Amino acid sequence: MHDPNCIFCKIIAGHIPSTRVYEDEEIFAFHDIHPWAPIHFLMVPKVHIPSMAQLLPEHEALLGRMMVLAPKLAFEQGCGPYPEGGFRVVCNTGALGGQEVHHLHIHVMGGPRPWAKG
Ligand code: AMP
Ligand code: ZN
């Protein structure tokens, strides 16, 4: 369920500090340490899933919950209302997808442009 060498598992367990945005029994969200945008947080499942490439049918409800939660958290964090405002969701997968941390995470970015990236 958890990988002792995984930095995001350590964040979820509280062994590495983070700025928490949200937590429930299945999902943890925290600010990205190197934000690309004025608002930039990460949403992760508490269970260690390395990437989208390992998703199974049993994860459908969890990923669905994360996607439904993303706009709620984005607006709570200050993203402007749709359609003038909004936010970007990114889920890098694998080396060519730009994934650096191999614990599935959804980037949620928003706020006034220009952004550093994205
Ligand atoms: P990715 O390239 O999609 O794997 O993105 C990994 C993200 O994790 C990057 O945007 C990093 O800035 C972020 N990150 C890495 N370590 C930490 C940390 N200790 N706390 C918060 N964010 C982190
Ligand atoms: Zn992990």
Side-chain angles (χ1 to χ4, degrees):
M1 294 292 271
H2 300 104
D3 178 340
N5 299 312
C6 170
I7 186 168
F8 286 176
C9 283
K10 290 179 186 169
I11 285 176
I12 292 161
H15 298 152
I16 291 177
S18 69
T19 309
R20 189 175 60 179
V21 166
Y22 175 85
E23 180 171 13
D24 66 28
E25 63 284 352
E26 289 187 309
I27 298 167
F28 194 83
F30 55 102
H31 287 289
D32 195 293
I33 203 164
H34 294 126
W36 307 353
I39 297 162
H40 185 174
F41 62 89
L42 304 174
M43 300 178 68
V44 302
K46 285 189 169 177
V47 61
H48 181 87
I49 305 169
S51 80
M52 286 187 76
Q54 288 76 33
L55 285 174
L56 300 168
E58 70 199 48
H59 298 127
E60 281 175 4
L62 170 62
L63 270 289
R65 286 194 62 231
M66 290 174 73
M67 292 303 284
V68 171
L69 187 59
K72 181 174 184 291
L73 298 184
F75 295 132
E76 282 177 7
Q77 290 297 308
C79 293
Y82 176 89
E84 295 83 6
F87 55 89
R88 174 168 290 188
V89 167
V90 171
C91 190
N92 297 325
T93 304
L96 296 186
Q99 185 178 9
E100 292 177 357
V101 176
H102 290 266
H103 180 129
L104 192 155
H105 53 282
I106 296 174
H107 295 256
V108 182
M109 291 161 278
R113 288 179 178 271
W115 296 354
K117 272 204 275 184

